[in-house]
Amino acid sequence: MRAPIGNFDQATPAPDCLDELIGPVADAVRQWRGSVPADRIVHVDTDPRWADTAVFVEHYGRELLEQSANCVVVAGKRGGESTLAACVVLSTTRVDVNGVVRRQLGARKASFASMDTATGETGMEYGGITPIGLPDGWPVLVDSAVVDLPYVLVGSGRRRGKLLVPGKAFAELPGAVVIEGLGTA
């Protein structure tokens, strides 16, 4: 199959390559619901040596810079309680942690979760965290610009490989809240 975006040697519908995905992501694909069929989620094999954004887009397609999203884990704290959430923004922007995220979570303070917390709580590899397959009950804050794209490149849960996901599918993820201005320039 040819990938819907980018120049990848190998592209496979995610339901056909569950063994390439880590447990939580494979489970989420197996249980997929929504208006976007699971086979429209495409796994592409990528080399972790080219994970740096500049090298990645040079190798797999310059247009990917504008069609890629980052998924980061944040922690909101209020009154001694901590809430973990995922934020999905275009890779050309930054998550507004201290403004939009803090207010959305009703937190007094918000910050990026530590690497150990992010990987330990998601069961995913750092640098490959994806909003598909996150723990039950997590808020998934998605910038509206991500939802507006036909396809978005995002992590697969591992550093090797990425997922190409129709933008509107992000709005249908469990716990998803689409927010204008979550990502800032």
Coordinates of all heavy atoms in Angstrom, one line a residue, residues 25-127:
V25 N -1.5 0.2 22.2 CA -1.8 0.8 20.9 C -2.5 -0.3 20.1 O -3.6 -0.1 19.5 CB -0.6 1.3 20.1 CG1 -1.0 1.8 18.8 CG2 0.0 2.5 21.0
A26 N -2.0 -1.5 20.1 CA -2.6 -2.6 19.4 C -4.0 -2.9 19.9 O -5.0 -3.1 19.1 CB -1.8 -3.9 19.5
D27 N -4.2 -2.8 21.3 CA -5.5 -3.0 21.9 C -6.5 -1.9 21.4 O -7.7 -2.2 21.1 CB -5.4 -3.0 23.4 CG -4.7 -4.3 23.9 OD1 -4.6 -5.3 23.2 OD2 -4.3 -4.2 25.1
A28 N -6.0 -0.7 21.3 CA -6.9 0.4 20.9 C -7.3 0.2 19.5 O -8.5 0.5 19.1 CB -6.2 1.7 21.1
V29 N -6.4 -0.2 18.6 CA -6.8 -0.5 17.2 C -7.8 -1.6 17.1 O -8.8 -1.5 16.4 CB -5.5 -0.8 16.4 CG1 -5.9 -1.2 15.0 CG2 -4.6 0.5 16.3
R30 N -7.6 -2.7 17.9 CA -8.5 -3.8 17.9 C -9.9 -3.4 18.3 O -10.9 -3.9 17.8 CB -8.1 -4.9 18.9 CG -7.1 -5.9 18.3 CD -6.9 -7.0 19.3 NE -5.6 -7.6 19.1 CZ -4.5 -7.2 19.8 NH1 -4.5 -6.3 20.7 NH2 -3.3 -7.8 19.5
Q31 N -10.0 -2.5 19.3 CA -11.3 -2.0 19.8 C -11.8 -0.7 19.2 O -12.7 -0.1 19.7 CB -11.2 -1.8 21.3 CG -10.8 -3.1 22.0 CD -10.3 -2.8 23.4 OE1 -10.4 -1.8 24.0 NE2 -9.7 -3.8 24.0
W32 N -11.2 -0.3 18.1 CA -11.5 1.0 17.4 C -13.0 1.2 17.1 O -13.6 0.3 16.6 CB -10.7 1.1 16.2 CG -10.7 2.5 15.6 CD1 -11.5 2.9 14.5 CD2 -10.0 3.6 16.0 NE1 -11.3 4.2 14.3 CE2 -10.4 4.7 15.2 CE3 -9.1 3.8 17.0 CZ2 -9.8 5.9 15.3 CZ3 -8.5 5.1 17.1 CH2 -8.9 6.1 16.3
R33 N -13.5 2.3 17.5 CA -14.9 2.7 17.2 C -14.8 4.1 16.6 O -13.9 4.9 16.9 CB -15.8 2.8 18.5 CG -15.8 1.5 19.2 CD -16.7 0.4 18.6 NE -16.8 -0.8 19.3 CZ -16.0 -1.8 19.1 NH1 -15.0 -1.8 18.3 NH2 -16.1 -2.9 19.8
G34 N -15.9 4.5 15.9 CA -16.0 5.8 15.4 C -16.2 5.9 13.9 O -16.4 4.8 13.2
S35 N -16.3 7.1 13.4 CA -16.7 7.2 12.0 C -15.6 6.9 11.0 O -15.8 6.7 9.8 CB -17.2 8.6 11.7 OG -16.2 9.6 11.9
V36 N -14.3 6.9 11.5 CA -13.2 6.6 10.7 C -12.9 5.1 10.9 O -12.6 4.7 12.0 CB -11.9 7.5 11.1 CG1 -10.7 7.0 10.3 CG2 -12.2 9.0 10.9
P37 N -12.9 4.3 9.8 CA -12.6 2.9 10.0 C -11.1 2.7 10.4 O -10.2 3.4 10.0 CB -12.8 2.3 8.6 CG -13.6 3.4 7.8 CD -13.3 4.7 8.5
A38 N -10.9 1.7 11.2 CA -9.6 1.4 11.7 C -8.6 1.2 10.6 O -7.4 1.5 10.8 CB -9.6 0.2 12.7
D39 N -9.0 0.6 9.5 CA -8.0 0.4 8.4 C -7.5 1.7 7.7 O -6.6 1.6 6.9 CB -8.5 -0.7 7.4 CG -9.7 -0.2 6.7 OD1 -10.3 0.9 6.9 OD2 -10.2 -1.0 5.8
R40 N -8.1 2.8 8.1 CA -7.6 4.1 7.6 C -6.4 4.6 8.4 O -5.8 5.6 8.0 CB -8.7 5.1 7.5 CG -9.9 4.7 6.6 CD -10.2 5.5 5.4 NE -9.5 6.8 5.2 CZ -10.1 8.0 5.4 NH1 -11.4 8.1 5.8 NH2 -9.5 9.1 5.1
I41 N -6.2 4.0 9.6 CA -5.0 4.3 10.4 C -3.9 3.4 9.8 O -4.0 2.2 9.7 CB -5.2 3.9 11.9 CG1 -6.4 4.8 12.4 CG2 -4.0 4.2 12.7 CD1 -6.9 4.3 13.8
V42 N -2.8 4.1 9.4 CA -1.8 3.4 8.7 C -0.5 3.4 9.5 O -0.1 4.5 10.0 CB -1.5 4.1 7.3 CG1 -0.4 3.4 6.5 CG2 -2.8 4.1 6.5
H43 N 0.2 2.3 9.6 CA 1.5 2.2 10.3 C 2.5 2.3 9.2 O 2.5 1.6 8.2 CB 1.6 0.9 11.0 CG 2.9 0.7 11.7 ND1 4.0 0.0 11.1 CD2 3.4 1.2 12.9 CE1 5.0 0.1 11.9 NE2 4.7 0.7 13.0
V44 N 3.5 3.1 9.4 CA 4.7 3.2 8.5 C 5.9 2.9 9.3 O 6.1 3.3 10.4 CB 4.8 4.6 7.8 CG1 3.6 4.8 6.8 CG2 4.8 5.7 8.8
D45 N 6.8 2.1 8.7 CA 8.0 1.7 9.3 C 9.0 2.8 9.1 O 9.2 3.3 8.0 CB 8.6 0.4 8.7 CG 9.8 -0.1 9.4 OD1 9.8 -0.1 10.7 OD2 10.7 -0.5 8.8
T46 N 9.6 3.3 10.2 CA 10.6 4.4 10.1 C 11.8 4.0 10.9 O 11.7 3.2 11.9 CB 10.0 5.7 10.6 OG1 9.7 5.5 12.0 CG2 8.9 6.2 9.8
D47 N 12.9 4.5 10.6 CA 14.2 4.2 11.2 C 14.4 5.2 12.4 O 14.4 6.4 12.2 CB 15.3 4.4 10.2 CG 16.7 3.8 10.8 OD1 16.9 4.0 12.0 OD2 17.4 3.2 10.0
P48 N 14.6 4.7 13.6 CA 14.8 5.6 14.8 C 16.0 6.5 14.6 O 16.0 7.6 15.3 CB 14.9 4.7 16.0 CG 14.7 3.3 15.5 CD 14.6 3.3 14.0
R49 N 16.9 6.2 13.8 CA 18.1 7.0 13.6 C 17.7 8.4 12.9 O 18.4 9.4 13.0 CB 19.1 6.4 12.7 CG 19.8 5.2 13.3 CD 20.7 4.5 12.3 NE 20.0 4.1 11.2 CZ 20.5 3.8 10.0 NH1 21.9 3.9 9.8 NH2 19.8 3.4 9.0
W50 N 16.5 8.4 12.3 CA 16.1 9.6 11.6 C 14.9 10.2 12.3 O 14.1 10.9 11.8 CB 15.7 9.3 10.2 CG 16.8 8.8 9.3 CD1 18.1 9.2 9.3 CD2 16.8 7.7 8.4 NE1 18.8 8.5 8.5 CE2 18.1 7.5 7.9 CE3 15.8 6.8 8.0 CZ2 18.4 6.6 6.9 CZ3 16.1 5.9 7.0 CH2 17.4 5.8 6.5
A51 N 14.9 10.0 13.6 CA 13.7 10.5 14.4 C 13.7 12.1 14.6 O 12.7 12.7 14.8 CB 13.7 9.9 15.8
D52 N 14.9 12.7 14.6 CA 15.0 14.2 14.7 C 14.1 14.8 13.5 O 14.3 14.4 12.4 CB 16.4 14.6 14.6 CG 16.5 16.1 14.6 OD1 16.2 16.7 15.7 OD2 16.9 16.7 13.6
T53 N 13.3 15.7 13.9 CA 12.3 16.3 12.9 C 13.0 16.7 11.6 O 12.5 16.4 10.5 CB 11.5 17.5 13.5 OG1 10.9 17.0 14.7 CG2 10.5 18.0 12.5
A54 N 14.1 17.5 11.7 CA 14.7 18.0 10.5 C 15.2 16.9 9.6 O 15.0 16.9 8.3 CB 15.9 18.9 10.8
V55 N 15.8 15.9 10.1 CA 16.3 14.7 9.4 C 15.1 13.9 8.9 O 15.1 13.4 7.8 CB 17.3 13.9 10.2 CG1 17.8 12.6 9.5 CG2 18.5 14.7 10.7
F56 N 14.1 13.7 9.7 CA 13.0 12.9 9.4 C 12.3 13.4 8.2 O 12.0 12.7 7.2 CB 12.0 12.9 10.6 CG 10.9 11.9 10.4 CD1 11.0 10.6 10.8 CD2 9.7 12.3 9.8 CE1 9.9 9.7 10.7 CE2 8.6 11.4 9.6 CZ 8.8 10.1 10.0
V57 N 12.0 14.7 8.1 CA 11.2 15.3 7.0 C 12.1 15.3 5.7 O 11.6 15.2 4.6 CB 10.6 16.7 7.3 CG1 9.6 16.6 8.4 CG2 11.7 17.7 7.5
E58 N 13.4 15.5 5.9 CA 14.3 15.4 4.8 C 14.3 14.0 4.1 O 14.3 13.9 2.9 CB 15.7 15.8 5.2 CG 16.7 16.2 4.1 CD 16.2 17.4 3.3 OE1 15.8 18.4 4.0 OE2 16.3 17.4 2.1
H59 N 14.2 13.0 4.9 CA 14.2 11.6 4.4 C 12.8 11.2 3.9 O 12.8 10.5 2.9 CB 14.7 10.7 5.5 CG 15.0 9.3 5.0 ND1 16.1 9.0 4.3 CD2 14.2 8.2 5.1 CE1 16.0 7.7 4.0 NE2 14.9 7.2 4.5
Y60 N 11.8 11.5 4.7 CA 10.5 10.9 4.4 C 9.5 11.9 3.6 O 8.4 11.5 3.3 CB 9.8 10.4 5.6 CG 10.5 9.3 6.2 CD1 11.2 9.4 7.4 CD2 10.5 8.0 5.6 CE1 11.9 8.3 8.0 CE2 11.2 6.9 6.2 CZ 11.9 7.1 7.4 OH 12.5 6.0 8.0
G61 N 9.9 13.2 3.5 CA 9.0 14.1 2.8 C 8.9 15.4 3.5 O 8.4 15.5 4.6
R62 N 9.3 16.5 2.8 CA 9.3 17.8 3.4 C 7.9 18.3 3.8 O 7.7 19.0 4.8 CB 9.9 18.9 2.5 CG 11.3 18.5 2.1 CD 12.4 19.4 2.4 NE 12.3 20.6 3.2 CZ 12.8 20.7 4.4 NH1 13.3 19.7 5.1 NH2 12.7 21.9 5.0
E63 N 6.9 17.8 3.1 CA 5.5 18.2 3.4 C 5.0 17.7 4.8 O 4.1 18.2 5.4 CB 4.5 17.7 2.3 CG 4.2 16.2 2.4 CD 5.2 15.3 1.7 OE1 6.3 15.8 1.3 OE2 5.0 14.1 1.6
L64 N 5.8 16.7 5.3 CA 5.4 16.1 6.6 C 5.6 17.1 7.8 O 5.0 17.0 8.8 CB 6.2 14.9 6.9 CG 5.8 13.7 6.0 CD1 6.8 12.5 6.2 CD2 4.4 13.2 6.2
L65 N 6.4 18.1 7.6 CA 6.6 19.1 8.6 C 5.3 19.8 9.0 O 5.0 20.0 10.2 CB 7.6 20.2 8.2 CG 8.0 21.2 9.3 CD1 8.6 20.5 10.5 CD2 9.0 22.2 8.7
E66 N 4.5 20.1 8.0 CA 3.2 20.7 8.3 C 2.1 19.7 8.6 O 1.0 20.1 8.9 CB 2.8 21.6 7.0 CG 3.8 22.6 6.7 CD 4.0 23.7 7.7 OE1 2.9 24.1 8.3 OE2 5.1 24.2 7.9
Q67 N 2.4 18.4 8.5 CA 1.3 17.4 8.7 C 1.7 16.4 9.8 O 1.1 15.4 9.9 CB 1.2 16.6 7.4 CG 0.7 17.4 6.2 CD 0.8 16.7 4.9 OE1 1.6 15.9 4.6 NE2 -0.2 17.0 4.0
S68 N 2.6 16.9 10.7 CA 3.0 16.1 11.8 C 2.5 16.7 13.1 O 2.4 17.9 13.2 CB 4.5 16.0 11.9 OG 5.0 15.4 10.8
A69 N 2.2 15.8 14.1 CA 1.7 16.2 15.4 C 2.6 15.6 16.5 O 3.1 14.5 16.3 CB 0.3 15.9 15.6
N70 N 2.7 16.2 17.6 CA 3.4 15.7 18.7 C 2.3 15.4 19.8 O 1.4 16.2 19.9 CB 4.4 16.7 19.3 CG 5.6 16.9 18.4 OD1 6.0 16.0 17.7 ND2 6.1 18.1 18.3
C71 N 2.5 14.3 20.5 CA 1.7 14.0 21.7 C 2.5 14.0 22.9 O 3.5 13.3 23.0 CB 1.1 12.6 21.5 SG 0.0 12.1 22.8
V72 N 2.2 15.0 23.8 CA 3.0 15.1 25.0 C 2.1 14.9 26.2 O 0.9 15.2 26.2 CB 3.7 16.5 25.1 CG1 4.7 16.6 24.0 CG2 2.7 17.6 25.1
V73 N 2.7 14.3 27.3 CA 2.0 14.1 28.5 C 2.2 15.2 29.5 O 3.4 15.6 29.7 CB 2.4 12.7 29.2 CG1 1.7 12.5 30.5 CG2 2.1 11.6 28.2
V74 N 1.2 15.7 30.1 CA 1.3 16.8 31.0 C 0.6 16.4 32.3 O -0.2 15.5 32.4 CB 0.6 18.1 30.5 CG1 1.3 18.7 29.3 CG2 -0.9 17.9 30.2
A75 N 1.1 17.1 33.4 CA 0.5 16.8 34.7 C -0.1 18.1 35.3 O 0.6 19.1 35.3 CB 1.6 16.3 35.7
G76 N -1.4 18.1 35.6 CA -2.0 19.2 36.2 C -2.1 19.0 37.7 O -2.5 17.9 38.1
K77 N -1.8 19.9 38.6 CA -1.8 19.7 40.0 C -2.7 20.8 40.7 O -2.7 22.0 40.3 CB -0.4 19.8 40.6 CG 0.5 18.7 40.1 CD 1.9 18.8 40.6 CE 2.7 17.6 40.0 NZ 4.1 17.8 40.1
R78 N -3.5 20.3 41.6 CA -4.4 21.2 42.4 C -4.7 20.5 43.7 O -5.1 19.3 43.7 CB -5.7 21.4 41.7 CG -6.6 22.4 42.4 CD -7.9 22.7 41.6 NE -8.5 23.8 42.1 CZ -8.2 25.1 41.9 NH1 -7.2 25.4 41.1 NH2 -8.9 26.1 42.4
G79 N -4.4 21.2 44.8 CA -4.6 20.7 46.1 C -4.0 19.3 46.4 O -4.7 18.5 47.0
G80 N -2.8 19.1 46.0 CA -2.1 17.8 46.3 C -2.5 16.7 45.3 O -2.0 15.6 45.4
E81 N -3.5 16.9 44.4 CA -3.9 15.9 43.5 C -3.3 16.2 42.1 O -3.2 17.3 41.7 CB -5.4 15.8 43.4 CG -6.0 15.2 44.6 CD -7.4 14.7 44.4 OE1 -7.8 14.4 43.2 OE2 -8.2 14.7 45.4
S82 N -2.9 15.1 41.4 CA -2.3 15.3 40.1 C -3.2 14.6 39.0 O -3.7 13.5 39.3 CB -0.9 14.7 40.1 OG -0.3 14.9 38.8
T83 N -3.4 15.3 37.9 CA -4.1 14.7 36.8 C -3.2 14.6 35.6 O -2.6 15.6 35.2 CB -5.3 15.6 36.4 OG1 -6.2 15.7 37.6 CG2 -6.1 15.1 35.3
L84 N -3.1 13.5 35.0 CA -2.3 13.3 33.8 C -3.2 13.5 32.6 O -4.4 13.0 32.6 CB -1.6 12.0 33.7 CG -0.5 11.8 34.8 CD1 0.0 10.4 34.7 CD2 0.6 12.8 34.6
A85 N -2.7 14.1 31.5 CA -3.5 14.3 30.3 C -2.5 14.2 29.1 O -1.3 14.4 29.3 CB -4.2 15.6 30.3
A86 N -3.0 14.0 27.9 CA -2.2 14.0 26.7 C -2.6 15.3 25.9 O -3.8 15.6 25.9 CB -2.4 12.8 25.9
C87 N -1.6 15.9 25.3 CA -1.9 17.1 24.5 C -1.3 16.7 23.1 O -0.2 16.3 22.9 CB -1.2 18.3 25.0 SG -1.8 18.8 26.6
V88 N -2.2 17.0 22.0 CA -1.8 16.7 20.7 C -1.8 18.0 19.9 O -2.9 18.6 19.8 CB -2.7 15.7 20.0 CG1 -2.3 15.4 18.6 CG2 -2.8 14.4 20.9
V89 N -0.6 18.5 19.4 CA -0.5 19.7 18.7 C 0.3 19.5 17.5 O 1.2 18.5 17.4 CB 0.1 20.8 19.6 CG1 -0.8 21.2 20.8 CG2 1.5 20.5 20.0
L90 N 0.2 20.3 16.5 CA 1.1 20.3 15.3 C 2.5 20.4 15.7 O 2.8 21.2 16.7 CB 0.7 21.3 14.3 CG -0.7 21.2 13.6 CD1 -1.0 22.4 12.7 CD2 -0.8 19.9 12.9
S91 N 3.4 19.7 15.0 CA 4.8 19.7 15.4 C 5.5 21.1 15.2 O 6.5 21.4 15.7 CB 5.6 18.7 14.7 OG 5.5 18.9 13.3
T92 N 4.8 22.0 14.5 CA 5.3 23.4 14.3 C 4.9 24.3 15.4 O 5.2 25.5 15.3 CB 4.9 23.9 12.9 OG1 3.4 23.8 12.9 CG2 5.5 23.1 11.8
T93 N 4.2 23.8 16.4 CA 3.7 24.6 17.5 C 4.1 24.0 18.8 O 4.7 22.9 18.9 CB 2.2 24.7 17.5 OG1 1.6 23.4 17.7 CG2 1.6 25.3 16.1
R94 N 3.8 24.8 19.9 CA 4.1 24.3 21.2 C 2.8 24.3 22.0 O 2.0 25.1 21.8 CB 5.1 25.3 21.9 CG 6.4 25.4 21.1 CD 7.3 26.4 21.8 NE 8.0 25.7 22.8 CZ 9.2 26.0 23.3 NH1 9.8 27.1 22.9 NH2 9.8 25.2 24.2
V95 N 2.8 23.3 23.0 CA 1.6 23.2 23.8 C 1.6 24.4 24.8 O 2.6 24.7 25.5 CB 1.6 21.9 24.6 CG1 0.4 21.8 25.6 CG2 1.6 20.7 23.7
D96 N 0.4 25.1 24.9 CA 0.3 26.2 25.9 C -0.1 25.5 27.2 O -1.2 25.5 27.7 CB -0.8 27.1 25.4 CG -1.0 28.3 26.3 OD1 -0.3 28.4 27.3 OD2 -1.9 29.1 26.1
V97 N 1.0 25.0 27.9 CA 0.8 24.3 29.2 C 0.3 25.2 30.3 O -0.7 24.9 31.0 CB 2.1 23.6 29.6 CG1 2.0 23.0 31.0 CG2 2.5 22.6 28.6
N98 N 0.9 26.4 30.4 CA 0.6 27.2 31.6 C -0.7 28.1 31.4 O -1.2 28.7 32.3 CB 1.7 28.2 31.9 CG 2.9 27.4 32.5 OD1 2.7 26.6 33.4 ND2 4.1 27.6 31.9
G99 N -1.3 28.1 30.2 CA -2.5 28.8 29.9 C -3.6 27.9 29.6 O -4.4 27.5 30.5
V100 N -3.8 27.4 28.4 CA -4.9 26.6 27.9 C -5.0 25.3 28.7 O -6.0 24.9 29.2 CB -4.8 26.4 26.4 CG1 -5.9 25.4 26.0 CG2 -4.9 27.7 25.7
V101 N -3.9 24.6 28.8 CA -3.9 23.3 29.5 C -4.3 23.4 31.0 O -5.1 22.7 31.5 CB -2.6 22.5 29.3 CG1 -2.5 21.2 30.2 CG2 -2.3 22.2 27.9
R102 N -3.6 24.3 31.6 CA -3.9 24.5 33.1 C -5.4 24.8 33.3 O -6.0 24.2 34.2 CB -3.0 25.6 33.6 CG -3.1 25.9 35.1 CD -2.3 27.0 35.6 NE -2.6 28.3 34.9 CZ -3.7 29.0 35.1 NH1 -4.6 28.6 36.0 NH2 -3.9 30.1 34.5
R103 N -5.9 25.7 32.5 CA -7.3 26.1 32.7 C -8.2 24.9 32.3 O -9.2 24.6 33.0 CB -7.7 27.3 31.8 CG -7.1 28.6 32.3 CD -7.7 29.8 31.6 NE -7.4 29.8 30.2 CZ -6.2 30.3 29.7 NH1 -5.3 30.8 30.5 NH2 -6.0 30.3 28.4
Q104 N -7.9 24.2 31.3 CA -8.8 23.0 30.8 C -8.8 21.9 31.9 O -9.8 21.3 32.1 CB -8.3 22.5 29.5 CG -9.1 21.3 29.0 CD -10.5 21.7 28.5 OE1 -10.7 22.8 28.0 NE2 -11.5 20.9 28.7
L105 N -7.7 21.7 32.6 CA -7.6 20.7 33.6 C -8.1 21.2 35.0 O -8.1 20.4 35.9 CB -6.2 20.2 33.7 CG -5.6 19.4 32.5 CD1 -4.2 19.0 32.8 CD2 -6.5 18.3 32.1
G106 N -8.4 22.5 35.1 CA -8.8 23.1 36.4 C -7.7 23.0 37.4 O -7.9 22.8 38.6
A107 N -6.4 23.1 36.9 CA -5.3 22.9 37.8 C -4.7 24.3 38.2 O -4.8 25.3 37.5 CB -4.2 22.1 37.0
R108 N -4.1 24.3 39.4 CA -3.4 25.5 39.8 C -2.0 25.6 39.1 O -1.6 26.7 38.8 CB -3.2 25.3 41.3 CG -2.5 26.5 42.0 CD -2.5 26.3 43.5 NE -1.6 27.2 44.1 CZ -1.8 28.4 44.5 NH1 -3.0 29.0 44.2 NH2 -0.9 29.2 45.1
K109 N -1.5 24.4 38.8 CA -0.1 24.4 38.2 C -0.2 23.2 37.2 O -0.7 22.2 37.4 CB 1.0 24.2 39.2 CG 2.3 24.1 38.6 CD 3.4 23.8 39.7 CE 4.7 23.7 39.1 NZ 5.8 23.3 40.0
A110 N 0.4 23.4 36.0 CA 0.6 22.4 35.0 C 2.0 22.4 34.5 O 2.6 23.4 34.3 CB -0.4 22.6 33.9
S111 N 2.5 21.2 34.2 CA 3.8 21.1 33.6 C 3.9 19.8 32.8 O 3.1 18.9 32.9 CB 4.9 21.1 34.7 OG 4.7 20.0 35.6
F112 N 5.0 19.7 32.0 CA 5.2 18.5 31.3 C 5.5 17.4 32.3 O 6.3 17.6 33.2 CB 6.4 18.6 30.3 CG 6.0 19.6 29.2 CD1 6.6 20.8 29.1 CD2 5.2 19.2 28.1 CE1 6.3 21.7 28.1 CE2 4.9 20.0 27.1 CZ 5.4 21.3 27.1
A113 N 5.0 16.2 32.1 CA 5.3 15.1 33.0 C 6.7 14.6 32.7 O 7.3 14.8 31.6 CB 4.3 13.9 32.7
S114 N 7.3 14.1 33.7 CA 8.7 13.5 33.6 C 8.7 12.4 32.6 O 7.7 11.7 32.4 CB 9.3 13.1 34.9 OG 8.6 11.9 35.3
M115 N 9.8 12.1 32.0 CA 10.0 11.0 31.1 C 9.5 9.7 31.8 O 8.8 8.9 31.2 CB 11.4 10.8 30.6 CG 11.6 9.7 29.6 SD 13.2 9.6 28.8 CE 14.2 9.3 30.1
D116 N 10.0 9.4 33.0 CA 9.6 8.2 33.7 C 8.1 8.1 33.9 O 7.5 7.0 33.7 CB 10.3 8.1 35.1 CG 11.8 7.8 34.9 OD1 12.2 7.4 33.8 OD2 12.5 8.1 35.9
T117 N 7.5 9.2 34.2 CA 6.0 9.2 34.4 C 5.3 9.0 33.1 O 4.4 8.1 33.0 CB 5.5 10.5 35.0 OG1 6.1 10.7 36.4 CG2 4.0 10.6 35.2
A118 N 5.7 9.7 32.1 CA 5.1 9.6 30.7 C 5.2 8.1 30.2 O 4.2 7.6 29.8 CB 5.7 10.5 29.8
T119 N 6.3 7.5 30.3 CA 6.5 6.2 29.7 C 5.9 5.1 30.7 O 5.3 4.2 30.2 CB 8.0 5.8 29.5 OG1 8.7 6.0 30.7 CG2 8.6 6.7 28.4
G120 N 6.0 5.3 32.0 CA 5.5 4.4 32.9 C 4.0 4.3 32.9 O 3.4 3.2 33.0
E121 N 3.3 5.4 32.8 CA 1.9 5.5 32.8 C 1.2 5.1 31.5 O 0.1 4.6 31.5 CB 1.4 6.9 33.2 CG 1.8 7.3 34.7 CD 1.0 6.4 35.7 OE1 -0.1 6.1 35.5 OE2 1.6 6.1 36.8
T122 N 1.9 5.4 30.4 CA 1.4 5.1 29.1 C 1.8 3.7 28.6 O 1.1 3.1 27.7 CB 1.8 6.1 28.0 OG1 3.2 6.0 27.8 CG2 1.4 7.5 28.3
G123 N 2.9 3.2 29.0 CA 3.4 1.9 28.5 C 4.0 2.1 27.1 O 4.2 1.1 26.4
M124 N 4.4 3.3 26.8 CA 4.9 3.6 25.5 C 6.3 4.1 25.6 O 6.8 4.5 26.7 CB 4.1 4.7 24.8 CG 2.6 4.3 24.6 SD 1.7 5.6 23.8 CE 0.0 5.0 24.1
E125 N 7.1 4.1 24.5 CA 8.5 4.6 24.5 C 8.5 6.1 24.4 O 7.7 6.7 23.6 CB 9.2 4.0 23.3 CG 9.4 2.5 23.4 CD 10.1 1.9 22.2 OE1 10.6 2.7 21.4 OE2 10.2 0.7 22.2
Y126 N 9.4 6.7 25.1 CA 9.6 8.2 25.0 C 10.0 8.6 23.6 O 10.9 7.9 23.0 CB 10.7 8.6 26.0 CG 10.6 10.1 26.3 CD1 9.6 10.7 27.1 CD2 11.6 10.9 25.8 CE1 9.6 12.0 27.3 CE2 11.6 12.3 26.0 CZ 10.6 12.8 26.8 OH 10.5 14.2 27.0
G127 N 9.4 9.6 23.1 CA 9.7 10.0 21.7 C 8.7 9.3 20.7 O 8.8 9.6 19.5

